[in-house]
């Protein structure tokens, strides 16, 4: 008896039958997977572009508010009689209105809140200026008197000998020194009053910074 292994050559007809039956489905599935991969990639690209565009817009308005804040933390601006809260309110409203469209944690409710705050600060500011004006005028008049005496009587002032004009200058300077703390006290109150606004702006800037990020993922 002859024991042998059967001939295992593949049946060509069966191979083509399988290929013809399942081939189109496999190809269609591969194409579908490729299309899905492309769609997901395009979606990631679009999402990243949106995030980057949003970042650019947010950063622009963030920089505007930062610049505005920097211009207001210099307290010398509020010691000027030409300073106006009404004028800075307009610029600030524009910045915050744009911010409310771009930042989720900055709502339009901030506008009336800030308006009310600026109104209170402005009222106190005007009251403090009225308090400051006569003190400042008194000091300036004394300083002007000293300058006039020194200009008109230079030799007498420069002399080591006692003179009525030197005594007059000394009296003016003494009165100036006495009045200066009063002026400084009013000016410090003006600065403290203004800091209510800068503190509010700083809190808004911190809120902006918490949202100022680009959730970019490589694709």
């Amino acid at each position: 008896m002859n024991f042998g292994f059967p001939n295992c050559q593949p049946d060509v007809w069966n191979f083509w039958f399988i290929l013809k039956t399942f081939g189109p489905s496999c190809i269609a599935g591969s194409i579908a997977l490729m299309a899905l991969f492309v769609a997901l990639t395009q979606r990631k690209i679009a999402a990243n572009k949106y995030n980057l565009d949003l970042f650019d817009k947010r950063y622009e308005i963030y920089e505007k508010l930062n610049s505005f804040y920097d211009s207001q933390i210099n307290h010398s601006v509020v010691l000027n009689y030409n300073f106006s809260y009404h004028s800075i309110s307009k610029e600030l409203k524009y910045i915050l209105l744009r911010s409310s469209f771009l930042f989720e944690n900055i709502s339009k409710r901030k506008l009336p809140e800030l308006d009310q705050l600026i109104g209170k600060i402005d009222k106190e500011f005007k009251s403090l200026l009225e308090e400051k004006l006569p003190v400042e005028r008194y000091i300036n008049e004394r300083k002007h008197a000293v300058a006039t005496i020194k200009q008109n009587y230079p030799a007498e002032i420069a002399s080591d000998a006692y003179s009525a004009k030197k005594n007059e200058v000394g009296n003016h300077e003494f009165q100036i020194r006495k009045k200066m703390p009063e002026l400084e006290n009013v000016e410090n109150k003006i600065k403290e009053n203004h800091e209510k606004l800068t503190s509010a702006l700083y809190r808004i800037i911190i809120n902006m910074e918490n949202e100022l990020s680009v959730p970019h993922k490589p694709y």
Side-chain angles (χ1 to χ4, degrees):
M1 182 178 289
N2 184 17
F3 292 97
F5 292 100
N7 190 350
C8 294
Q9 290 182 356
D11 191 323
V12 176
W13 187 86
N14 287 340
F15 174 78
W16 283 109
F17 175 77
I18 292 170
L19 184 63
K20 185 177 180 182
T21 303
F22 298 104
S25 299
C26 291
I27 293 170
S30 299
I31 292 172
L33 286 173
M34 289 176 65
L36 178 62
F37 175 77
V38 170
L40 289 173
T41 302
Q42 288 178 336
R43 182 180 177 182
K44 287 180 181 179
I45 292 171
N48 285 330
K49 184 179 184 306
Y50 171 80
N51 288 330
L52 289 169
D53 288 345
L54 181 60
F55 173 82
D56 287 340
K57 290 175 181 177
R58 281 178 171 175
Y59 192 75
E60 179 190 355
I61 201 67
Y62 167 78
E63 280 288 279
K64 281 184 182 295
L65 185 58
N66 244 325
S67 297
F68 182 85
Y69 173 77
D70 288 342
S71 69
Q72 297 305 316
I73 57 174
N74 180 8
H75 288 132
S76 62
V77 297
V78 292
L79 299 179
N80 188 327
Y81 285 96
N82 294 323
F83 181 80
S84 167
Y85 280 101
H86 179 70
S87 61
I88 69 169
S89 175
K90 290 181 179 179
E91 184 181 354
L92 189 54
K93 280 180 186 176
Y94 168 76
I95 294 172
L96 289 180
L97 184 60
R98 284 197 61 191
S99 301
S100 67
F101 291 113
L102 296 170
F103 292 87
E104 291 179 8
N105 58 15
I106 299 175
S107 68
K108 291 186 180 67
R109 286 181 299 176
K110 289 285 180 188
L111 297 177
E113 285 176 12
L114 207 64
D115 244 2
Q116 191 176 11
L117 175 63
I118 291 175
K120 288 180 180 178
I121 293 170
D122 186 45
K123 185 177 179 180
E124 181 68 16
F125 175 66
K126 288 173 180 174
S127 174
L128 288 167
L129 282 183
E130 289 177 4
E131 189 178 337
K132 176 188 175 184
L133 185 60
V135 180
E136 194 171 50
R137 184 184 294 123
Y138 177 88
I139 291 172
N140 287 337
E141 285 173 355
R142 294 277 184 174
K143 285 181 177 180
H144 179 70
V146 170
T148 302
I149 293 170
K150 287 182 176 180
Q151 183 180 359
N152 295 335
Y153 304 93
E156 191 173 337
I157 297 301
S159 171
D160 292 334
Y162 171 83
S163 74
K165 292 300 177 184
K166 283 179 70 174
N167 187 58
E168 193 176 343
V169 166
N171 181 54
H172 283 309
E173 290 175 342
F174 174 73
Q175 295 301 327
I176 290 170
R177 286 193 298 272
K178 274 183 64 178
K179 208 72 174 174
M180 281 303 294
E182 191 176 336
L183 177 63
E184 289 169 1
N185 182 49
V186 178
E187 289 185 341
N188 286 334
K189 286 180 182 177
I190 291 173
K191 292 173 185 177
E192 288 170 9
N193 184 54
H194 186 68
E195 282 172 3
K196 296 172 188 174
L197 173 62
T198 56
S199 295
L201 293 179
Y202 182 73
R203 288 193 294 271
I204 294 170
I205 288 171
I206 293 300
N207 285 339
M208 283 183 168
E209 287 177 353
N210 291 335
E211 280 192 68
L212 196 65
S213 61
V214 186
H216 175 80
K217 296 179 182 178
Y219 42 80

